[in-house]
Amino acid sequence: MTAAGPADTAARLTGLVRALRGHGLRIGPAETVDAAAVLDVLGLADREQMRAGLAAALLRSDGRRKVFDAVFDLFFPLGVGTPEALRAEPPPGPDDPEPPRFGRPDPLRDQLRERLAAALAADDRAAQARLAGEVVEAFGRYGTGGTPGSDGWSAHQALGRLSPETLLARILAALREDPGREGPTREDLSDRVLADEIRRRIQDFRAQVTGEARRRVAELRGPERIAERAVAPSTDRIDFLYAGREQLAELRRTVHPLARKLATRLAARRRRAARGQIDLRRTLRRSLATGGVPLRPAYRLRRPGRPELVLLCDVSGSVAGFADFTMLLVQAMGEQFSKVRVFAFVNRTAEVTDLLRRGQDDPARLAARILAEARVMGHHGNSDYGSALGEFADRHLDAVGPRTCVLVLGDARNNHRDPNLDALRRISARARRVFWLNPEQPALWSTGDSAAPAYADVVEMHSCRNARRLGELIARLLPV
C-alpha cells in the first residue's frame, strides 16, 4: 500500500465509514474513534494487520465481513495505478489491431492461461495476484478516451477472454501426473473433492480479478461511487426478487440465526405484554412500607396465550424465493406460536404444512416439492390471487380464528383477473390480524397487472424486499 499523509488517511477512514453505513452497517462515532485509534497504533505498513484491526473496531458481527473487505479494498488499496511490472509495456491503443476473435491464435491469452494453470495447481496465491493484474491490464480495458467517463475496466470482459473455468481438466491432469507437486494429489483426495478444490481456487482467482478491476475503476470514478454501486450487499439486504441461486442458498443458511434473534424479540414483547394495568389496591398496600410513596407499582398480570399463525404463500416463479425463505423462517420460529399452518398457491390453494416439516433436510428443494406434490395449479401455471383467495375462504377458513394472525406473501400480480376482494374481506373479518407482505417496492404496486392497491384497501400491505426488512416486520407486527 502506498504511503499516505494524516489528512489523506483520515479522509479514507471517514469515507470507509460512510460507505459501510450506506450498506446498512451500524457504525457510530465511538466505533469511528476506535478505528482511528487502531490506525494510530498499527500504522499503514502491514495492510492485512490494518484490515483486521479496523474490522475488529467497526464490525459487530462476522456476517458483514465480506462487505467490509470489498469496501476496505477500495479505500485502502494494495497499490495505485498500473502495477510496476506491467508499466514496461504500454496498453493497446485505439490504432492497435483488434483482439483475436474466436478460433484465431491468441499468444498472450494462451501464455496467461498456461501460467494461471500452473499457479492454480501449485496454489501460489502471490502468482495468482500478479496474474490478476496482468489479466485486467491485457483484457479488461474498454473505451477509447474520446468521451468523458467512457473509459474503464471490466472484470467480466477480462474473465470472458481468459475463461479460467476451462482450465479445470488441465489442472486435474497435472496434479495426477506429478504427485510431488505442492497441494493435494490424487492419493490424498478423491476425484470429486480434488475437482471441488480446484473450482474453489478458480473462484478465488475470479474474485481477485474482480477486485483489481474494481480498484482501477475506483481510481477513475471515486471509491465512494463504486462502493455504493459495485459492492455486493450483505446477505440480509439481498433483494428477494433478484436473488440468484447462490444468493438464495446463502439466505437459507441465515434462517436459523435470524429465527433465534426474532424469537428473543418476540419473547421480550410477550413479557412486556404480560404486564397489564396498575393494581391500585396492591400498589397502595406496598406504599405503606415507603411512607405512602408508591415506589413499586403493582400490576395486574395478564397471561396471554400464544397466537396462531397462518401463512398464505404465492409459490409461483416470480416470488418463489421470497415465499421459500419466509416459510423456512416461520417454521424455525414454530415454538413462538401455539399453531402454525402453511398454505401455498399459484392459482389453487393447498395446505403444505406437512411438506414443510419434511423439507427440513433439503430446504433448497422445498419450492420444487410443493409444486410437484401439492395441488397449487389448475389448468394453467399463472398466478391468480382471486381464485386462490376464494378457494382458501371456501375450503380452509376453519384454519382462521380470533387468535389467528394471517400473513399473505406475494406480489399481488394477478394477470388482470378478478382480485376477489370479498374473499380477502371474509378472511380478514374472521382473523385477529391480516398482513400482506409484498416483495415489490411500493412504486411498482400500481403498475402493470398488479392488484396491490385494491388489496391494500382491505388489509395492511407492507413492502418486504429483503431478509432484514422481513425480520423487522415479523418482530413488530406479529401479535404476542
Side-chain angles (χ1 to χ4, degrees), residues 57-69:
L58 297 175
L59 300 184
R60 299 184 180 182
S61 65
D62 291 337
R64 307 299 181 87
R65 184 59 189 263
K66 185 180 295 186
V67 173
F68 171 85
D69 285 338

Side-chain angles (χ1 to χ4, degrees), residues 274-290 292-301:
R275 178 181 292 181
Q277 296 179 343
I278 290 180
D279 187 327
L280 183 60
R281 178 177 298 178
R282 291 174 56 210
T283 299
L284 291 176
R285 188 179 298 120
R286 283 184 179 182
S287 69
L288 296 177
T290 55
V293 180
L295 295 180
R296 293 188 302 121
Y299 295 88
R300 295 187 179 95
L301 297 181

Side-chain angles (χ1 to χ4, degrees), residues 336-373:
Q336 300 301 312
F337 307 98
S338 61
K339 183 186 296 185
V340 176
R341 295 182 68 177
V342 182
F343 298 83
F345 68 89
V346 175
N347 46 62
R348 296 194 59 183
T349 303
E351 184 168 6
V352 295
T353 308
D354 291 337
L355 277 176
L356 188 61
R357 293 195 188 101
R358 299 202 305 269
Q360 293 182 8
D361 297 333
D362 189 10
R365 290 183 51 80
L366 175 61
R369 289 187 60 194
I370 289 175
L371 291 174
E373 301 181 29

Side-chain angles (χ1 to χ4, degrees), residues 229-305:
R229 300 186 179 185
V231 175
S234 56
T235 304
D236 62 345
R237 295 172 69 89
I238 294 173
D239 197 312
F240 287 122
L241 294 183
Y242 304 109
R245 181 179 301 177
E246 293 182 0
Q247 291 176 316
L248 287 175
E250 192 172 354
L251 272 172
R252 292 187 191 100
R253 288 192 289 270
T254 67
V255 163
H256 290 286
L258 180 58
R260 288 194 296 270
K261 183 185 298 184
L262 294 179
T264 301
R265 293 180 183 176
L266 289 176
R269 283 184 57 202
R270 188 172 290 114
R271 286 194 298 271
R272 290 193 296 270
R275 178 181 292 181
Q277 296 179 343
I278 290 180
D279 187 327
L280 183 60
R281 178 177 298 178
R282 291 174 56 210
T283 299
L284 291 176
R285 188 179 298 120
R286 283 184 179 182
S287 69
L288 296 177
T290 55
V293 180
L295 295 180
R296 293 188 302 121
Y299 295 88
R300 295 187 179 95
L301 297 181
R302 299 169 52 228
R303 289 180 171 81

Side-chain angles (χ1 to χ4, degrees), residues 43 48 95 120 143 154 168 173 199 239-240 270 301 364 379 381 419 444:
E48 292 308 313
D95 297 329
L120 291 173
S154 168
L168 176 62
R199 290 190 186 95
D239 197 312
F240 287 122
R270 188 172 290 114
L301 297 181
H379 300 296
L444 300 177

Side-chain angles (χ1 to χ4, degrees), residues 159-213:
L159 291 167
R161 286 283 302 278
L162 191 67
S163 301
E165 291 81 3
T166 60
L167 296 173
L168 176 62
R170 184 186 305 183
I171 299 170
L172 286 173
L175 288 175
R176 294 190 186 105
E177 292 173 2
D178 187 2
R181 186 186 298 267
E182 294 182 3
T185 64
R186 178 66 177 86
E187 291 76 17
D188 297 326
L189 301 172
S190 67
D191 287 346
R192 180 176 297 180
V193 175
L194 187 59
D196 288 343
E197 170 65 15
I198 299 304
R199 290 190 186 95
R200 183 194 63 77
R201 295 180 189 180
I202 292 174
Q203 198 66 27
D204 289 345
F205 176 75
R206 292 181 63 91
Q208 288 179 312
V209 173
T210 301
E212 175 66 16

Side-chain angles (χ1 to χ4, degrees), residues 133-145:
E134 295 184 42
V135 169
V136 173
E137 181 73 19
F139 304 135
R141 183 188 296 271
Y142 65 86
T144 62

